[in-house]
mmCIF file of all heavy atoms in Angstrom:
data_model
loop_
_atom_site.group_PDB
_atom_site.id
_atom_site.type_symbol
_atom_site.label_atom_id
_atom_site.label_comp_id
_atom_site.label_asym_id
_atom_site.label_seq_id
_atom_site.Cartn_x
_atom_site.Cartn_y
_atom_site.Cartn_z
ATOM 1 N N PRO A 96 29.449 154.415 130.366
ATOM 2 C CA PRO A 96 30.830 154.049 130.714
ATOM 3 C C PRO A 96 31.845 154.495 129.680
ATOM 4 O O PRO A 96 32.959 154.898 130.031
ATOM 5 C CB PRO A 96 30.775 152.515 130.829
ATOM 6 C CG PRO A 96 29.333 152.199 131.068
ATOM 7 C CD PRO A 96 28.551 153.253 130.339
ATOM 8 N N ILE A 97 31.479 154.431 128.387
ATOM 9 C CA ILE A 97 32.445 154.806 127.351
ATOM 10 C C ILE A 97 32.829 156.267 127.484
ATOM 11 O O ILE A 97 33.983 156.654 127.309
ATOM 12 C CB ILE A 97 31.863 154.524 125.954
ATOM 13 C CG1 ILE A 97 31.486 153.045 125.834
ATOM 14 C CG2 ILE A 97 32.842 154.907 124.865
ATOM 15 C CD1 ILE A 97 30.841 152.692 124.521
ATOM 16 N N ALA A 98 31.849 157.115 127.799
ATOM 17 C CA ALA A 98 32.121 158.545 127.924
ATOM 18 C C ALA A 98 33.057 158.824 129.090
ATOM 19 O O ALA A 98 33.999 159.618 128.979
ATOM 20 C CB ALA A 98 30.814 159.313 128.096
ATOM 21 N N SER A 99 32.810 158.177 130.227
ATOM 22 C CA SER A 99 33.666 158.415 131.390
ATOM 23 C C SER A 99 35.086 157.923 131.139
ATOM 24 O O SER A 99 36.056 158.539 131.600
ATOM 25 C CB SER A 99 33.080 157.727 132.622
ATOM 26 O OG SER A 99 32.958 156.331 132.402
ATOM 27 N N ASP A 100 35.241 156.824 130.396
ATOM 28 C CA ASP A 100 36.578 156.321 130.099
ATOM 29 C C ASP A 100 37.310 157.227 129.114
ATOM 30 O O ASP A 100 38.517 157.465 129.254
ATOM 31 C CB ASP A 100 36.496 154.902 129.530
ATOM 32 C CG ASP A 100 35.963 153.917 130.558
ATOM 33 O OD1 ASP A 100 36.024 154.238 131.766
ATOM 34 O OD2 ASP A 100 35.467 152.855 130.162
ATOM 35 N N ALA A 101 36.588 157.752 128.124
ATOM 36 C CA ALA A 101 37.227 158.543 127.079
ATOM 37 C C ALA A 101 37.610 159.933 127.563
ATOM 38 O O ALA A 101 38.573 160.513 127.056
ATOM 39 C CB ALA A 101 36.306 158.640 125.856
ATOM 40 N N PHE A 102 36.883 160.475 128.522
ATOM 41 C CA PHE A 102 37.115 161.857 128.943
ATOM 42 C C PHE A 102 37.538 161.962 130.404
ATOM 43 O O PHE A 102 37.404 163.013 130.999
ATOM 44 C CB PHE A 102 35.865 162.692 128.694
ATOM 45 C CG PHE A 102 35.566 162.906 127.242
ATOM 46 C CD1 PHE A 102 34.711 162.056 126.568
ATOM 47 C CD2 PHE A 102 36.165 163.938 126.550
ATOM 48 C CE1 PHE A 102 34.440 162.237 125.228
ATOM 49 C CE2 PHE A 102 35.903 164.131 125.204
ATOM 50 C CZ PHE A 102 35.039 163.281 124.534
ATOM 51 N N SER A 103 38.025 160.879 130.982
ATOM 52 C CA SER A 103 38.643 160.925 132.309
ATOM 53 C C SER A 103 40.157 160.917 132.128
ATOM 54 O O SER A 103 40.699 160.048 131.436
ATOM 55 C CB SER A 103 38.209 159.738 133.161
ATOM 56 O OG SER A 103 36.837 159.814 133.462
ATOM 57 N N ILE A 104 40.822 161.878 132.720
ATOM 58 C CA ILE A 104 42.258 162.067 132.518
ATOM 59 C C ILE A 104 42.955 162.015 133.871
ATOM 60 O O ILE A 104 42.502 162.617 134.844
ATOM 61 C CB ILE A 104 42.544 163.408 131.821
ATOM 62 C CG1 ILE A 104 41.888 163.437 130.440
ATOM 63 C CG2 ILE A 104 44.037 163.653 131.699
ATOM 64 C CD1 ILE A 104 42.069 164.753 129.727
ATOM 65 N N THR A 105 44.060 161.294 133.919
ATOM 66 C CA THR A 105 44.905 161.232 135.106
ATOM 67 C C THR A 105 46.271 161.789 134.761
ATOM 68 O O THR A 105 46.909 161.345 133.801
ATOM 69 C CB THR A 105 45.042 159.782 135.615
ATOM 70 O OG1 THR A 105 43.737 159.265 135.913
ATOM 71 C CG2 THR A 105 45.889 159.741 136.866
ATOM 72 N N LEU A 106 46.720 162.789 135.516
ATOM 73 C CA LEU A 106 47.989 163.456 135.260
ATOM 74 C C LEU A 106 48.895 163.341 136.476
ATOM 75 O O LEU A 106 48.428 163.267 137.605
ATOM 76 C CB LEU A 106 47.770 164.945 134.956
ATOM 77 C CG LEU A 106 46.829 165.324 133.816
ATOM 78 C CD1 LEU A 106 46.665 166.834 133.788
ATOM 79 C CD2 LEU A 106 47.381 164.833 132.493
ATOM 80 N N THR A 107 50.192 163.349 136.216
ATOM 81 C CA THR A 107 51.204 163.445 137.252
ATOM 82 C C THR A 107 52.069 164.648 136.930
ATOM 83 O O THR A 107 52.706 164.692 135.871
ATOM 84 C CB THR A 107 52.071 162.182 137.326
ATOM 85 O OG1 THR A 107 51.239 161.052 137.637
ATOM 86 C CG2 THR A 107 53.129 162.310 138.392
ATOM 87 N N VAL A 108 52.072 165.620 137.830
ATOM 88 C CA VAL A 108 52.788 166.881 137.592
ATOM 89 C C VAL A 108 53.895 166.996 138.626
ATOM 90 O O VAL A 108 53.631 167.003 139.830
ATOM 91 C CB VAL A 108 51.840 168.099 137.686
ATOM 92 C CG1 VAL A 108 52.586 169.378 137.334
ATOM 93 C CG2 VAL A 108 50.634 167.910 136.770
ATOM 94 N N ASP A 109 55.145 167.063 138.149
ATOM 95 C CA ASP A 109 56.305 167.263 139.012
ATOM 96 C C ASP A 109 56.860 168.668 138.809
ATOM 97 O O ASP A 109 56.708 169.257 137.732
ATOM 98 C CB ASP A 109 57.407 166.240 138.710
ATOM 99 C CG ASP A 109 56.985 164.821 139.052
ATOM 100 O OD1 ASP A 109 56.107 164.670 139.921
ATOM 101 O OD2 ASP A 109 57.526 163.879 138.444
ATOM 102 N N ARG A 110 57.494 169.192 139.824
ATOM 103 C CA ARG A 110 58.161 170.483 139.679
ATOM 104 C C ARG A 110 59.526 170.240 139.045
ATOM 105 O O ARG A 110 60.491 169.879 139.706
ATOM 106 C CB ARG A 110 58.307 171.169 141.033
ATOM 107 C CG ARG A 110 58.719 172.630 140.927
ATOM 108 C CD ARG A 110 58.540 173.360 142.234
ATOM 109 N NE ARG A 110 59.498 172.912 143.232
ATOM 110 C CZ ARG A 110 59.480 173.316 144.500
ATOM 111 N NH1 ARG A 110 58.548 174.141 144.902
ATOM 112 N NH2 ARG A 110 60.387 172.872 145.360
ATOM 113 N N GLN A 111 59.586 170.433 137.737
ATOM 114 C CA GLN A 111 60.768 170.061 136.978
ATOM 115 C C GLN A 111 62.011 170.805 137.436
ATOM 116 O O GLN A 111 63.122 170.275 137.353
ATOM 117 C CB GLN A 111 60.522 170.322 135.485
ATOM 118 C CG GLN A 111 59.391 169.501 134.888
ATOM 119 C CD GLN A 111 59.678 168.014 134.928
ATOM 120 O OE1 GLN A 111 60.830 167.587 134.810
ATOM 121 N NE2 GLN A 111 58.630 167.207 135.090
ATOM 122 N N SER A 112 61.847 172.029 137.912
ATOM 123 C CA SER A 112 63.021 172.801 138.320
ATOM 124 C C SER A 112 63.710 172.207 139.548
ATOM 125 O O SER A 112 64.866 172.526 139.816
ATOM 126 C CB SER A 112 62.610 174.251 138.619
ATOM 127 O OG SER A 112 61.641 174.295 139.662
ATOM 128 N N SER A 113 63.007 171.347 140.288
ATOM 129 C CA SER A 113 63.585 170.758 141.501
ATOM 130 C C SER A 113 64.205 169.393 141.247
ATOM 131 O O SER A 113 64.945 168.890 142.112
ATOM 132 C CB SER A 113 62.508 170.627 142.591
ATOM 133 O OG SER A 113 61.950 171.873 142.910
ATOM 134 N N ILE A 114 63.895 168.774 140.120
ATOM 135 C CA ILE A 114 64.437 167.441 139.847
ATOM 136 C C ILE A 114 65.924 167.548 139.533
ATOM 137 O O ILE A 114 66.329 168.338 138.676
ATOM 138 C CB ILE A 114 63.689 166.788 138.674
ATOM 139 C CG1 ILE A 114 62.205 166.655 139.015
ATOM 140 C CG2 ILE A 114 64.281 165.421 138.345
ATOM 141 C CD1 ILE A 114 61.381 166.052 137.909
ATOM 142 N N PRO A 115 66.779 166.791 140.194
ATOM 143 C CA PRO A 115 68.221 166.869 139.933
ATOM 144 C C PRO A 115 68.565 166.471 138.501
ATOM 145 O O PRO A 115 67.858 165.692 137.852
ATOM 146 C CB PRO A 115 68.817 165.888 140.950
ATOM 147 C CG PRO A 115 67.759 165.700 141.989
ATOM 148 C CD PRO A 115 66.457 165.865 141.286
ATOM 149 N N GLN A 116 69.671 167.012 138.030
ATOM 150 C CA GLN A 116 70.104 166.740 136.652
ATOM 151 C C GLN A 116 70.375 165.264 136.421
ATOM 152 O O GLN A 116 70.108 164.731 135.348
ATOM 153 C CB GLN A 116 71.377 167.556 136.370
ATOM 154 C CG GLN A 116 71.804 167.575 134.914
ATOM 155 C CD GLN A 116 70.874 168.363 134.044
ATOM 156 O OE1 GLN A 116 69.994 167.782 133.405
ATOM 157 N NE2 GLN A 116 71.028 169.665 134.025
ATOM 158 N N ARG A 117 70.911 164.567 137.440
ATOM 159 C CA ARG A 117 71.225 163.150 137.274
ATOM 160 C C ARG A 117 69.973 162.321 137.005
ATOM 161 O O ARG A 117 70.050 161.279 136.353
ATOM 162 C CB ARG A 117 71.950 162.633 138.506
ATOM 163 C CG ARG A 117 71.162 162.742 139.802
ATOM 164 C CD ARG A 117 71.998 162.315 140.992
ATOM 165 N NE ARG A 117 71.272 162.418 142.255
ATOM 166 C CZ ARG A 117 71.186 163.530 142.970
ATOM 167 N NH1 ARG A 117 71.760 164.640 142.531
ATOM 168 N NH2 ARG A 117 70.521 163.552 144.111
ATOM 169 N N CYS A 118 68.812 162.785 137.513
ATOM 170 C CA CYS A 118 67.574 162.040 137.260
ATOM 171 C C CYS A 118 67.085 162.263 135.831
ATOM 172 O O CYS A 118 66.483 161.364 135.232
ATOM 173 C CB CYS A 118 66.505 162.461 138.267
ATOM 174 S SG CYS A 118 66.922 162.104 139.989
ATOM 175 N N HIS A 119 67.354 163.436 135.289
ATOM 176 C CA HIS A 119 66.941 163.713 133.914
ATOM 177 C C HIS A 119 67.734 162.877 132.904
ATOM 178 O O HIS A 119 67.188 162.409 131.902
ATOM 179 C CB HIS A 119 67.118 165.200 133.600
ATOM 180 C CG HIS A 119 66.086 166.083 134.233
ATOM 181 N ND1 HIS A 119 64.753 166.047 133.875
ATOM 182 C CD2 HIS A 119 66.187 167.031 135.208
ATOM 183 C CE1 HIS A 119 64.079 166.937 134.596
ATOM 184 N NE2 HIS A 119 64.920 167.533 135.414
ATOM 185 N N VAL A 120 69.039 162.722 133.155
ATOM 186 C CA VAL A 120 69.905 162.064 132.167
ATOM 187 C C VAL A 120 70.178 160.612 132.502
ATOM 188 O O VAL A 120 70.972 159.964 131.811
ATOM 189 C CB VAL A 120 71.245 162.838 132.058
ATOM 190 C CG1 VAL A 120 71.000 164.286 131.665
ATOM 191 C CG2 VAL A 120 72.024 162.777 133.374
ATOM 192 N N ARG A 121 69.524 160.076 133.534
ATOM 193 C CA ARG A 121 69.878 158.736 134.010
ATOM 194 C C ARG A 121 69.687 157.668 132.944
ATOM 195 O O ARG A 121 70.580 156.843 132.703
ATOM 196 C CB ARG A 121 69.030 158.396 135.253
ATOM 197 C CG ARG A 121 69.388 157.073 135.906
ATOM 198 C CD ARG A 121 68.341 156.682 136.910
ATOM 199 N NE ARG A 121 67.027 156.551 136.285
ATOM 200 C CZ ARG A 121 66.641 155.474 135.599
ATOM 201 N NH1 ARG A 121 67.472 154.441 135.426
ATOM 202 N NH2 ARG A 121 65.444 155.426 135.066
#
């Protein structure tokens, strides 16, 4: 279990070029 916890990765990838400017500076 320790190995699976240490080397399991969850990522969230957004297309930054599509995010409006107001969301970046909010």
